[in-house]
Amino acid sequence: MSSCNFNGGADKILDDVEALIDQHPDSALRLLDTGILERNLDRDAYYKYILLYTQVRDQKNIDIKNDTLIFQARDYYLNKKDLLKIAKSYYYSGRVLESQNNKEDALSMYLEAESYASQTENDKLKGHIEYSIGAINHKKYLKDEAISRFKLSAQYYNKSGNYKNEIQAYNGIGTAFLLKKELDSSFYYLDKGLLLAKAINDSVGQGLALQNIGVVHRMTKDYPSARSKFEQAIPLFKDNEDKSRIHLNIAYSFNDEQNRDSTLYYINKSLELIKGDETSPLRSMIIQLQSRIEENNKNYEKALAFQKEYADYLQKIFKEANNQAVLDIQKKYDFEVIQNENNRLLIEKQSASLIILGLIVLVLGMSIFFYWKNVKNKEALSDAELKISQLNDMADSFNKKENSFKKVLLEHFDILKKVALLEGHMRDDEKKQGQKLLKRVNEIIYKQESLDWNMLNDTMNQLYNGFPEKLREKYPQLEEAEVRICCLIFAGLNNTEISILMEWTINTIQMKKSIIRRKIGVEGYGNMADFFIKNIGKHKK
């Protein structure tokens, strides 16, 4: 029995993409989008495509949180024992997990990538891995660990001749020293990055270094020097978003000096540069600064108006993020459908002996399968009915007029839409079969939406006077999942709603709550929400 490889020129396209990806990522992405998937790819070409596709999208700063096929590529290359591709697939698996805000699992992927990359000669990849590990440590405020990793990444980038990334590593070192308030060291590494950027004529690198140096000057309250660096950085950027960010930094420096007129002048310049881009993240920062200015001047009505504008902006971002997630999922689905069709065509080319053997195996397998399925269907049916009941309870509790974090959270999770999907898109024959029903329920509940905990954390900080941060500060012994449960309790959610959002059973939530009670000292079965109000603060600002 044998099969033939009919890649239809795909191998040549993938080789071209590999050659272009570092210097010309735009061209590489266009090549990958030229219908290569419609060709009959063998397994090696298929997984090479997945790896390159994830790599170029990450390099282009495109959201890759739904590019989970990279996990399959990683497993494939592990079986192939291809060290370089194993290292790359582990690294980009980490990038996907980090884009999903799963930093702990991402860090595990990076450490695995590091162990495999150490057995290769690819210093650029080693630099990427060390920089990503440093960035996660930086976010976790593990300053010394971050500095160590950033320094190692700079060495690898220098060795590979990748000087633009070396500049980025020096900026990372400088900002980490800034967190440690070791300003001399911060200036030293930022200046080092600036000198390297000038040496290779990298205008963007120079602009970023000058911007960071200006931030350090602002931290030392040397506002004239800070503004001087910011002004020098502006002409080095071509992108209006980057220029807008610099103008906003200048506005912050004037606001620090209580210079209202100059602050408003640079806010307006920053807004002008992003005019027409309603989803720019700079808008939220500008609106918050405007609200702060009016509040400091006791113009509380205007300050409140800006806060409302900020809330409207967040709601718009939520909706657009949801729409993009749907498009990404559809693309992933189309991707798999095409590959399945290619596999079907390949199977048709197999010899008659393989087909006969497959039929024999199929008959035996189906006999075992139907026996096993009959047992599992009853369990799956019970599980599915419980989840449907839980989701309906959440929908019944939804109140459009309510103005609370609970409303924002349920809207973000799209409760009403999911109930409608459950009621309108399941066929009668599926409802009679437990496993099909459970699969459809899980797809609707968990694959239609992914909660952005960082965004919800920021929203709750706004609505509830910094409750999440105060909770972490007062009870550092709480794990992040326990902090999330406390926040959901404080927002008024019951065990059923929390179990849906956390993707755990109600029994698990109850067990977790018992652990939390012991950790923070809630006696017996006292009301935890009341305990938080008493020990941390009231709901509203």
Side-chain angles (χ1 to χ4, degrees):
M1 293 179 289
S2 62
S3 62
C4 298
N5 177 12
F6 297 98
N7 283 347
D11 287 334
K12 175 65 167 61
I13 294 175
L14 293 174
D15 289 341
D16 290 342
V17 169
E18 208 163 19
L20 289 168
I21 202 164
D22 287 331
Q23 300 299 324
H24 305 286
D26 289 320
S27 299
L29 186 58
R30 281 196 295 272
L31 276 175
L32 288 173
D33 285 335
T34 54
I36 188 173
L37 280 180
E38 281 75 7
R39 304 167 190 267
N40 191 14
L41 302 182
D42 62 21
R43 283 171 60 80
D44 195 58
Y46 173 64
Y47 287 116
K48 185 176 181 180
Y49 172 89
I50 291 171
L51 180 56
L52 289 171
Y53 186 73
T54 308
Q55 180 179 348
V56 73
R57 278 166 58 84
D58 182 56
Q59 196 163 326
K60 289 284 296 170
N61 293 318
I62 299 171
D63 187 1
I64 60 171
K65 67 173 176 287
N66 292 315
D67 292 357
T68 53
L69 290 173
I70 189 65
F71 304 142
Q72 295 180 22
R74 177 198 62 202
D75 296 338
Y76 173 75
Y77 289 124
L78 278 169
N79 290 329
K80 295 277 288 185
K81 298 183 177 6
D82 186 329
L83 289 176
L84 181 57
K85 285 190 169 65
I86 292 172
K88 284 186 176 181
S89 59
Y90 263 115
Y91 173 69
Y92 287 105
S93 293
R95 295 293 293 162
V96 169
L97 288 166
E98 190 172 356
S99 71
Q100 297 172 351
N101 293 313
N102 188 347
K103 295 182 180 61
E104 293 303 323
D105 287 345
L107 184 58
S108 296
M109 292 295 112
Y110 293 148
L111 293 173
E112 288 286 348
E114 180 185 36
S115 67
Y116 285 103
S118 65
Q119 304 174 60
T120 74
E121 300 297 322
N122 194 318
D123 291 317
K124 181 178 179 180
L125 176 60
K126 294 175 186 176
H128 288 338
I129 294 167
E130 297 302 331
Y131 185 87
S132 294
I133 295 173
I136 287 184
N137 286 329
H138 188 277
K139 291 172 184 175
K140 295 168 68 176
Y141 292 95
L142 301 174
K143 300 178 278 291
D144 291 329
E145 290 86 343
I147 289 169
S148 174
R149 294 290 185 169
F150 285 144
K151 285 183 177 179
L152 193 54
S153 72
Q155 293 172 16
Y156 282 128
Y157 286 140
N158 181 270
K159 188 176 178 181
S160 65
N162 194 343
Y163 302 118
K164 289 188 176 182
N165 286 112
E166 186 181 354
I167 296 165
Q168 183 183 25
Y170 289 139
N171 281 332
I173 298 169
T175 53
F177 273 119
L178 178 60
L179 282 180
K180 293 185 69 176
K181 299 184 179 178
E182 295 182 17
L183 300 183
D184 288 341
S185 296
S186 181
F187 277 124
Y188 172 78
Y189 282 100
L190 291 174
D191 284 334
K192 195 171 182 178
L194 179 59
L195 289 173
L196 179 57
K198 288 180 178 178
I200 65 172
N201 198 28
D202 178 7
S203 60
V204 173
Q206 293 177 57
L208 290 173
L210 286 167
Q211 176 180 284
N212 288 331
I213 292 170
V215 170
V216 180
H217 279 303
R218 183 183 160 217
M219 295 294 292
T220 63
K221 299 185 179 180
D222 183 0
Y223 301 118
S225 296
R227 287 193 285 270
S228 173
K229 296 298 182 184
F230 292 146
E231 293 285 358
Q232 291 175 48
I234 291 172
L236 296 169
F237 290 109
K238 295 180 181 179
D239 187 76
N240 281 343
E241 178 103 358
D242 292 324
K243 292 182 178 181
S244 175
R245 185 177 291 104
I246 299 294
H247 283 90
L248 184 56
N249 270 309
I250 297 174
Y252 277 125
S253 74
F254 277 119
N255 187 61
D256 291 342
E257 294 182 305
Q258 303 297 311
N259 187 334
R260 184 175 186 272
D261 291 340
S262 295
T263 303
L264 292 175
Y265 172 77
Y266 279 97
I267 283 176
N268 288 331
K269 292 193 74 171
S270 181
L271 282 170
E272 184 63 28
L273 286 163
I274 56 172
K275 185 177 181 180
D277 184 2
E278 297 301 323
T279 62
S280 170
L282 292 176
R283 287 192 178 277
S284 65
M285 299 169 66
I286 293 171
I287 295 168
Q288 288 178 305
L289 180 56
Q290 289 172 317
S291 178
R292 195 183 312 157
I293 292 169
E294 298 303 336
E295 187 176 351
N296 290 339
N297 283 272
K298 302 187 185 306
N299 296 327
Y300 299 116
E301 187 174 346
K302 284 188 177 181
L304 186 61
F306 280 123
Q307 285 296 325
K308 183 180 182 303
E309 184 180 349
Y310 176 71
D312 292 342
Y313 168 82
L314 283 182
Q315 188 176 22
K316 184 175 183 179
I317 293 299
F318 294 162
K319 290 181 179 178
E320 296 201 358
N322 290 343
N323 292 338
Q324 184 58 48
V326 170
L327 291 175
D328 288 343
I329 291 169
Q330 182 62 47
K331 188 167 186 178
K332 177 183 174 183
Y333 171 76
D334 294 341
F335 183 34
E336 292 177 317
V337 166
I338 291 171
Q339 187 58 29
N340 288 338
E341 177 64 15
N342 288 338
N343 290 337
R344 186 187 66 79
L345 293 173
L346 183 61
I347 290 171
E348 289 180 354
K349 296 182 178 74
Q350 305 304 309
S351 64
S353 59
L354 180 61
I355 296 173
I356 294 171
L357 179 61
L359 289 172
I360 295 171
V361 172
L362 180 63
V363 170
L364 293 173
M366 291 297 288
S367 299
I368 297 170
F369 171 75
F370 281 113
Y371 174 78
W372 171 84
K373 185 177 179 182
N374 187 50
V375 174
K376 291 294 182 182
N377 258 347
K378 293 181 180 179
E379 298 175 1
L381 182 61
S382 177
D383 193 2
E385 289 174 345
L386 177 60
K387 287 184 177 179
I388 292 171
S389 175
Q390 290 173 337
L391 201 64
N392 273 296
D393 288 342
M394 292 177 73
D396 291 340
S397 70
F398 182 79
N399 185 352
K400 289 185 177 181
K401 297 182 179 180
E402 185 180 29
N403 183 22
S404 68
F405 174 78
K406 181 178 178 181
K407 176 191 174 186
V408 173
L409 190 146
L410 295 183
E411 283 183 336
H412 180 50
F413 195 60
D414 250 342
I415 293 299
L416 299 180
K417 175 182 174 183
K418 290 174 182 178
V419 170
L421 284 169
L422 285 169
E423 293 177 348
H425 289 274
M426 290 188 296
R427 302 189 306 273
D428 289 339
D429 62 323
E430 288 180 322
K431 295 178 182 178
K432 296 175 183 177
Q433 301 180 57
Q435 287 185 310
K436 283 189 176 182
L437 178 60
L438 179 60
K439 180 180 178 182
R440 180 61 63 89
V441 169
N442 285 335
E443 285 176 350
I444 290 173
I445 294 178
Y446 298 121
K447 294 184 181 178
Q448 295 287 331
E449 189 67 67
S450 177
L451 283 178
D452 186 340
W453 287 104
N454 283 346
M455 176 276 297
L456 294 173
N457 183 78
D458 292 342
T459 302
M460 192 165 193
N461 272 320
Q462 289 289 326
L463 290 174
Y464 298 143
N465 198 23
F467 173 81
E469 298 308 321
K470 291 179 180 179
L471 179 68
R472 291 186 180 94
E473 182 178 352
K474 187 159 186 176
Y475 302 108
Q477 67 270 32
L478 291 177
E479 297 176 1
E480 185 59 27
E482 293 168 343
V483 170
R484 291 174 181 174
I485 290 173
C486 290
C487 289
L488 296 175
I489 292 169
F490 189 73
L493 275 73
N494 59 39
N495 287 347
T496 297
E497 294 165 337
I498 295 172
S499 70
I500 287 287
L501 298 173
M502 296 294 293
E503 301 183 31
W504 288 338
T505 65
I506 293 177
N507 287 338
T508 300
I509 296 300
Q510 290 171 336
M511 180 189 70
K512 290 285 186 180
K513 287 174 73 173
S514 297
I515 294 171
I516 294 168
R517 289 174 190 275
R518 289 197 299 270
K519 285 187 176 183
I520 66 177
V522 179
E523 295 182 0
Y525 292 90
N527 188 294
M528 292 177 71
D530 290 343
F531 177 88
F532 291 137
I533 293 172
K534 179 179 178 182
N535 290 274
I536 296 179
K538 296 181 179 178
H539 275 59
K540 298 296 182 182
K541 287 186 177 180

